[in-house]
Amino acid sequence: MKEVVVENDNSEISHYMPHYGILRPEKSTTKLRVVFNATNPSSNGLSLNSIQYNGGRVQNDLFTVMIKFREHPYAFTANVKMMHRMILIHESQQPLLRKERKEKILWKESPEDPMKTFEMKTVTYGTVSALFLGTRTLLQLSRDEEKNFPS
């Protein structure tokens, strides 16, 4: 995310997304995990999820996946940890992906600090479009890297 100076903010439509932290002090790596709520309605009664496109389905149906899985002698699976946080949305693509809507959050480092506005620069997990964008990104990566890793 990047900090936005509210006086210089020229985005036509903004949505301030509610979020909260889950603190797990026993964890050695990610002690605080931020959870976003894109289903919470805004002042006009609409939530971010209600105004986003879901993008449709990119992957095959489960039956086709299972049949293709059995075609090859080897199979690879992976758990892409925090995938959505790793998908950076380039400035030029934001209007296309988000219909010129900016996802923003209000943030304070501590109770004494002033409130700051931040704009999300990655795919936000919990939004309607996140599954499509994540799956579509993986599909595009496989196409882009196919020449380097032939089957």
Side-chain angles (χ1 to χ4, degrees):
M1 48 187 196
K2 91 173 181 187
E3 188 172 359
V4 176
V5 179
V6 178
E7 295 84 43
N8 297 337
D9 184 16
N10 60 359
S11 57
E12 293 181 22
I13 301 172
S14 294
H15 185 90
Y16 287 86
M17 200 167 9
H19 59 283
Y20 58 92
I22 297 177
L23 183 62
R24 300 199 48 198
E26 73 278 2
K27 292 284 190 177
S28 61
T29 54
T30 309
K31 295 180 184 285
L32 178 66
R33 181 170 60 98
V34 180
V35 177
F36 297 96
N37 181 1
T39 62
N40 195 48
S42 64
S43 58
N44 65 5
L46 299 173
S47 70
L48 179 61
N49 276 349
S50 69
I51 59 174
Q52 273 195 334
Y53 293 122
N54 72 3
R57 201 170 73 177
V58 177
Q59 73 276 16
N60 293 323
D61 63 277
L62 185 57
F63 180 76
T64 304
V65 170
M66 295 302 293
I67 293 299
K68 290 186 85 49
F69 188 81
R70 298 179 65 134
E71 285 180 356
H72 304 283
Y74 302 102
F76 294 94
T77 63
N79 182 4
V80 184
K81 186 176 181 182
M82 298 182 356
M83 172 178 65
H84 297 93
R85 292 277 136 243
M86 296 178 194
I87 302 172
L88 181 64
I89 297 178
H90 192 271
E91 285 286 330
S92 65
Q93 295 300 315
Q94 282 189 350
L96 299 173
L97 294 174
R98 300 176 187 218
K99 293 181 62 184
E100 298 181 353
R101 291 175 173 85
K102 305 282 185 177
E103 297 169 7
K104 297 180 181 175
I105 64 168
L106 299 174
W107 189 266
K108 289 175 96 171
E109 288 295 321
S110 71
E112 301 81 34
D113 289 340
M115 189 81 66
K116 294 180 180 180
T117 302
F118 286 89
E119 183 178 296
M120 306 305 283
K121 305 301 286 177
T122 60
V123 173
T124 305
Y125 184 75
T127 58
V128 164
S129 61
L131 292 175
F132 169 79
L133 293 173
T135 306
R136 183 62 183 88
T137 299
L138 290 174
L139 179 63
Q140 189 63 46
L141 279 171
S142 70
R143 290 176 179 167
D144 292 349
E145 296 300 323
E146 185 176 29
K147 63 185 175 296
N148 297 326
F149 302 97
S151 54

